[in-house]
Amino acid sequence: MEFEELVEKVANGEIKLHQVEKYTNGDKKLATEIRRKALEKKLGVKLDNIGHYSLDPNQLIGKNIENMIGVVQIPMGVAGPLKINGEYAKGEFYIPLATTEGALVASVNRGCSALTEAGGVKTTLIDDKMTRAPLLKCPDARRAREVAEWVKNNLDYLQEKAVSKVTRHGKLRGVKPFIVGNNLYLRFEFETGDAMGMNMVTIASEEIMKVIEEEFPDVKYLALSGNLCVDKKPNAANFILGRGKTVIAEAIVPREIVERKLKTTPELIAEVNYRKNLVGSAQAGSYGFNAHFGNIVGAIFLATGQDEAQITEGSHGITLAEVTPEGDLYISVTMPSLEIGTVGGGTRVPTQREALSIMGVAGGGDPPGTNAKKFAEIVAGAVLAGELSLLAAIAAKHLAKAHKELGR
């Protein structure tokens, strides 16, 4: 069929959106064009900007997107340099931020400047695991407890019989069982190298369920996710137990830098943080005892091909600020659930891979896992920069002024 005939047939529904590739001999770029033109014809709109892009649909469709019609472009800026004194990230880094919110990049940049002049950010990785929590229906609670005990005592066996069959990189390192009535939720914890690892642990967990059902014929495997993983939802479990990378970034900013660069005092920043981020968040019932983790996490996720829905858990965390005995400012961010990777998923999209390369974390690390850990420390440092700058702006009553100048 000719191009225009295909557009007409897609527009009138004779050919479904997902069927177009069948009529283009597998040419996914041509299929993308046909879908977009059909949508223009059917809706009476022009999608010219969506149709301008450098990415190759032949590399994306089937891996990162379905029914592709083009690309949404988000402006990307950089903040930095930010000096990080981490266990994996050492040196000065520029942070790519994709956002349409005016003032955000400028604010993070100011925080980077203050922290770097102060000697940099100290980052500490507390934990690193990806979780999946399948649901099993048991005859009763006692049987659920028996199954849970067997699983806890047979992790190596499950690694050999199930996990190793479907992944070379995933390692089952633990399980936390939860029993509610006759329901057993097994929150498996995996090491996933440089991948964020959700696909890896999902496939591995299904294999584990097969072994458990063979071992316990009276137990029924009901759901691969029992919602105790917890994925892409605000929740207390990840806040307390962690998921992905659990990382802390902290710094001491001398009083002179606070007053000169941030136009306020350590005392005011500490008080605003206490009354806003701690008391205010408690009153709100929030899992985010912070000013705007989600802003920085979201902008980095979009720039680097992370799973954007996991910005939800990335926004969980606590900002602390206090005045040191010397009169300087101690500030820290604790991020319990930063779910990120440097391989797989959206990280292989060329523009996102380039953004990762700005920080020196594109692809797999040597040894495996070190790039993702380095990336986590950089993200935490950037979040600290954003928190410091925003708290200072609020303390100095400059927030509205900044948004008037940069966000309108």
Side-chain angles (χ1 to χ4, degrees), residues 130-134 158-159 161-168 170 172 188 190 192 197-211 221 224-225 243:
M130 183 46 63
T131 61
R132 181 53 97 194
L158 291 171
Q159 174 71 33
K161 294 295 182 181
V163 180
S164 294
K165 285 174 59 177
V166 293
T167 175
R168 292 180 293 111
L172 178 63
F188 291 114
F190 295 85
T192 60
M198 270 309 309
N199 289 342
M200 186 190 303
V201 305
T202 296
I203 294 166
S205 294
E206 185 162 65
E207 288 299 314
I208 292 173
M209 290 300 99
K210 294 175 184 176
V211 175
Y221 159 46
L224 189 51
S225 170
R243 189 174 194 246

Side-chain angles (χ1 to χ4, degrees), residues 52-293:
H52 287 289
Y53 51 86
S54 63
L55 303 176
D56 182 3
N58 290 294
Q59 300 299 317
L60 302 177
I61 295 173
K63 294 179 180 177
N64 299 102
I65 191 70
E66 301 80 37
N67 295 348
M68 185 172 173
I69 64 166
V71 168
V72 168
Q73 300 179 79
I74 303 173
M76 185 169 74
V78 292
L82 174 62
K83 183 178 181 182
I84 298 180
N85 308 309
E87 297 169 290
Y88 299 91
K90 302 175 189 292
E92 294 191 349
F93 298 90
Y94 288 91
I95 299 106
L97 301 161
T99 181
T100 55
E101 181 183 347
L104 177 60
V105 176
S107 179
V108 177
N109 197 63
R110 183 175 78 141
C112 290
S113 176
L115 290 168
T116 298
E117 186 175 338
V121 178
K122 183 177 182 179
T123 53
T124 304
L125 193 71
I126 304 299
D127 199 4
D128 181 11
K129 60 178 178 288
M130 183 46 63
T131 61
R132 181 53 97 194
L135 164 61
L136 294 159
K137 181 182 177 182
C138 303
D140 52 35
R142 193 166 297 172
R143 186 58 161 165
R145 187 181 66 185
E146 290 172 2
V147 176
E149 287 301 317
W150 182 88
V151 171
K152 286 194 288 185
N153 292 328
N154 286 277
L155 294 179
D156 290 340
Y157 175 75
L158 291 171
Q159 174 71 33
E160 178 187 349
K161 294 295 182 181
V163 180
S164 294
K165 285 174 59 177
V166 293
T167 175
R168 292 180 293 111
H169 305 289
K171 168 76 168 125
L172 178 63
R173 60 164 239 190
V175 62
K176 284 187 170 58
F178 297 85
I179 299 171
V180 181
N182 62 345
N183 298 294
L184 172 60
Y185 304 84
L186 293 169
R187 193 176 197 258
F188 291 114
E189 300 177 351
F190 295 85
E191 296 173 7
T192 60
D194 285 300
M196 182 270 284
M198 270 309 309
N199 289 342
M200 186 190 303
V201 305
T202 296
I203 294 166
S205 294
E206 185 162 65
E207 288 299 314
I208 292 173
M209 290 300 99
K210 294 175 184 176
V211 175
I212 292 175
E213 281 194 309
E214 288 177 6
E215 191 74 24
F216 300 94
D218 58 339
V219 170
K220 185 178 181 182
Y221 159 46
L222 278 183
L224 189 51
S225 170
N227 266 15
L228 260 165
C229 310
V230 179
D231 195 33
K232 305 176 185 179
K233 291 169 280 292
N235 66 93
N238 290 0
F239 191 88
I240 296 166
L241 300 174
R243 189 174 194 246
K245 309 291 190 288
T246 298
V247 61
I248 295 172
E250 56 191 340
I252 293 178
V253 186
R255 174 179 294 272
E256 186 273 331
I257 293 176
V258 174
E259 293 176 347
R260 173 170 50 84
K261 274 190 174 290
L262 303 175
K263 312 303 181 188
T264 185
T265 65
E267 288 81 5
L268 270 174
I269 289 177
E271 184 171 12
V272 168
N273 185 72
Y274 167 69
R275 297 184 186 280
K276 168 186 164 64
N277 286 344
L278 304 185
V279 179
S281 296
Q283 178 64 23
S286 175
Y287 292 122
F289 289 79
N290 59 74
H292 68 150
F293 280 21

Side-chain angles (χ1 to χ4, degrees), residues 288-319:
F289 289 79
N290 59 74
H292 68 150
F293 280 21
N295 250 340
I296 297 91
V297 171
I300 295 174
F301 272 36
L302 291 174
T304 60
Q306 309 306 307
D307 189 326
E308 62 272 13
Q310 291 175 330
I311 297 167
T312 304
E313 299 100 287
S315 70
H316 292 176
I318 301 171
T319 298

